[in-house]
Amino acid sequence: MPKQTLLVRESLFTIHSLDPQSSIPAAVLSSPLFFLGKTEDELSIVVPDTVDVPSLDSDEGWRALELLGPLHLSMVGIMAQIGKVLASAKVAIFVVSTFDTDFFLVKDNKLKDAISALNKAGYSVSEDN
């Protein structure tokens, strides 16, 4: 199977942690790209850093590498393989998924290391325009 292509999204992203009973801010829902995750213990929101989210905690300065799809849900090991490449390069990741694809968030200051490692492993990485 040929290696996949990833697209570096231009925006910086922030990962927010909120109380699980919090409402999702309207600014999040009107953002062109956002991710939500909720458990009994927390509500997590990932949005471009231009979106204001009053949160309990946040981590700024993430870049998104979008795995270009669509990927079929029956495909096995793609996240594990890319995660292994990035782990070997000492690049921490935060992964979010949609029905069609996955997004690997890496810290902006590690983006060049991530791109280099992915290219060396045979993946194609292109820049968002």
Side-chain angles (χ1 to χ4, degrees), residues 5-16:
T5 299
L6 294 103
L7 174 67
V8 179
R9 291 298 194 118
E10 185 177 339
S11 300
L12 283 170
F13 289 84
T14 301
I15 303 167
H16 297 275

Side-chain angles (χ1 to χ4, degrees), residues 16-25 36-39 41-45:
H16 297 275
S17 178
L18 291 81
D19 182 275
Q21 303 310 316
S22 298
S23 297
I24 299 166
L36 303 172
K38 184 176 178 182
T39 67
D41 299 322
E42 75 165 317
L43 169 64
S44 292
I45 299 176

Side-chain angles (χ1 to χ4, degrees), residues 90-110:
K90 306 284 189 248
V91 176
I93 60 174
F94 186 93
V95 181
V96 291
S97 298
T98 68
F99 189 87
D100 287 335
T101 194
D102 303 311
F103 290 76
F104 293 81
L105 279 75
V106 302
K107 284 297 219 172
D108 188 45
N109 65 351
K110 297 293 276 182

Side-chain angles (χ1 to χ4, degrees), residues 30-121:
S30 65
S31 175
L33 182 64
F34 65 88
F35 297 93
L36 303 172
K38 184 176 178 182
T39 67
E40 298 84 9
D41 299 322
E42 75 165 317
L43 169 64
S44 292
I45 299 176
V46 178
V47 287
D49 68 350
T50 56
V51 178
D52 183 40
V53 177
S55 53
L56 299 172
D57 197 5
S58 63
D59 196 337
E60 302 174 338
W62 292 84
R63 296 289 299 274
L65 294 161
E66 178 182 355
L67 187 55
L68 296 181
L71 304 174
H72 300 284
L73 293 175
S74 62
M75 296 175 82
V76 177
I78 294 173
M79 278 198 302
Q81 291 169 2
I82 293 172
K84 183 177 180 181
V85 169
L86 296 174
S88 293
K90 306 284 189 248
V91 176
I93 60 174
F94 186 93
V95 181
V96 291
S97 298
T98 68
F99 189 87
D100 287 335
T101 194
D102 303 311
F103 290 76
F104 293 81
L105 279 75
V106 302
K107 284 297 219 172
D108 188 45
N109 65 351
K110 297 293 276 182
L111 180 62
K112 287 182 183 180
D113 294 340
I115 292 171
S116 176
L118 289 164
N119 284 331
K120 285 180 187 173

